Amino acid sequence: MGIIVLDKDTAEQIAAGEVIENPASVVKELVENSLDAGSTSIYINISEGGKNFISVTDNGKGLHRSDLPLAFTRFATSKLTSFEDLSRLKSLGFRGEALPSISAVSRVTMTSRPENNLSGAFITLAGGKVIEEGETGAPFGTMVEVKDLFYNTPGRLKFLRAASYETSRISNLLTETALANPAVAIELKSSGRVLFRSPGDGNLLNAINSLYGSDTVESMIPANLADKQGGYALHGFISAPHLTRSSRKWITFIVNGRLIKNATLVNALERAYGDYLPSKRHPLAVIFLTVPPESIDVNVHPAKTEIRFQQPEQSKNLVFRAIRNALQSSARAASWPENIQKYSKQDHVTLTGRPEEENQNDLFSAAAFNYEKYNAVNNPPQNIPIARETTLPAASIEQTSASECRLIGQYLNSYLVVQNNNDLILIDQHAAHERIIYNRLMEDNTGKLTTNSSQLTIPLTLKIPAKWQHKIEPALPFLKKLGFDIEPFGEDSYAIRAVPFMLKDNADNEELFDMLEKITDIETESAVEQMDFTRDIVYKTIACHRSVKARQKLSYSEMEQLLEDWQKAPRAFFCPHGRPTTIVFKRDRLEKSFHRGGESS
Ligand code: ADP
Ligand code: MG
């Protein structure tokens, strides 16, 4: 067969295939047009998963009767006049392909009325051809109805999934659209039933609340970071470490107003959580990224869901830093909102039964515990020179001003039983202590605690699996900065001759092996990040090593000491690995379980 030019209909159908794959892509294009038209509310109605009916109704600026046929002409757009404009584009659409593509593969009617017009107009097309047009009464704004999607392209129809599946595709898409546009009220109905409705009041948390529920909102923490010079900025919300999901569906990135899929950004987000994230779990996030418009190319994907970054490093680093900061400064506060209010209302702490004179600012006040087994050291930790400020960092203030905590006792030699105001709380002694030590290490600006190296009398030798070898060598300088002296020893082993002071006592092979394994897992090309990650892993190892273990009986004063330190420690509701340290039993729930009415009875 020789070369022939495809007839117009066939060419249109093929082109449509790139933009319109399924009902969700129709919804996406129509809703983007509504957003571009400045709408503040958008209603979407579907039936049969959008296969036989989709309508999108908005209150945007509308179209004049004479523009209706143009809107359905390929490459007709009001949003772009020349290719250069692309770099300065503010609208979501720009290709002028969506409406012609939709009309090529369905029966579609668009009814519209601009605000200053007395009457509206409509146009109906089927298979790309105009069937009817005229004037009609209509409210302000635009309504597009799409019927019988792919009725004339049976090949595509076959690829559609069950109605329930197509419905959830649409619902997922609109959920993200509503998150990306908190100032626009978006409602989705399926066969007349409301699936969701966002308030459109401009408040992102309210949008999250309407889509993900109030439990979720309570566990979201804000992330904000701006790098003004470069024109880069980030804001949004991420989940506290205890709230995770089994898929990445709950991670939404919006770059310069566009919902995009980008593995690099998702990766930076998850790396920032580090060990906070249990394996195979993923955080929830809604993140708005602003980048200089000329630094991205938005025209790389027919459905415009991907963009290309000129300097991906910039955005990646911003995400990483912003999320790290957010997790470090407020994970605790956001995850226990009931407590925040309580804490902020009271401004001083009353600890019952605590001697006043004890000075809690010593880094090793925790060492006042008689950790016979773990602290049997030649140099008792109290003697380490410490330069720690006596003022607590801002993050811990709200927690220091906590309400009354009264120690009741120890349960299973593992948990402190505490009355906090009227609630009962259980604190995991190991996890809480781990957090306290980890925090203190992080706050020690001098680095003395970890960089002070201690020679081991007998070096430890570790056999290192071949697959790590190439990653261990580059990690050694970072470990050296933290007080380790590690060098190759024979073919596949390394000798550890010195460790940070705090690991000195009984540092065991297994612990160090685990630590090195984690360090060889670090994936980054940036030296600053490598150091950050390495430090984090080393601190966690030390914290675990030094902390009181589960099933260890503590004296009353040891427990009081731990409780007090726990109250002062920021983020003390999670151990450094993100596991909870504390369970709260609310008084009213507890009393209800005893069929009591609460306060009075
Ligand atoms: P694009 O969005 O890339 O410009 P479309 O085919 O999606 O291309 O739309 C063509 C044109 O129709 C748009 O540029 C816009 O002027 C007009 N249009 C489409 N939908 C609406 C709407 N809901 N309200 C107002 N104008 C619209
Ligand atoms: Mg469009």
Side-chain angles (χ1 to χ4, degrees), residues 174-186 196-214 216-217 220 237 286 288:
L174 288 175
T175 300
E176 291 203 298
T177 308
L179 291 173
N181 299 279
V184 181
I186 296 183
F196 69 77
R197 182 184 286 146
S198 71
D201 61 0
N203 181 327
L204 180 56
L205 266 192
N206 290 345
I208 297 175
N209 187 21
S210 70
L211 300 159
Y212 292 165
S214 57
T216 302
V217 167
M220 297 300 273
F237 288 92
V286 184
F288 288 79

Side-chain angles (χ1 to χ4, degrees), residues 29-30 32-33 36 79 92-99 304:
E29 294 295 339
L30 295 180
E32 284 188 355
N33 281 348
D36 283 345
K79 301 169 193 171
L92 297 169
F94 52 83
R95 298 166 65 106
E97 285 189 302
L99 292 180
K304 299 162 290 180

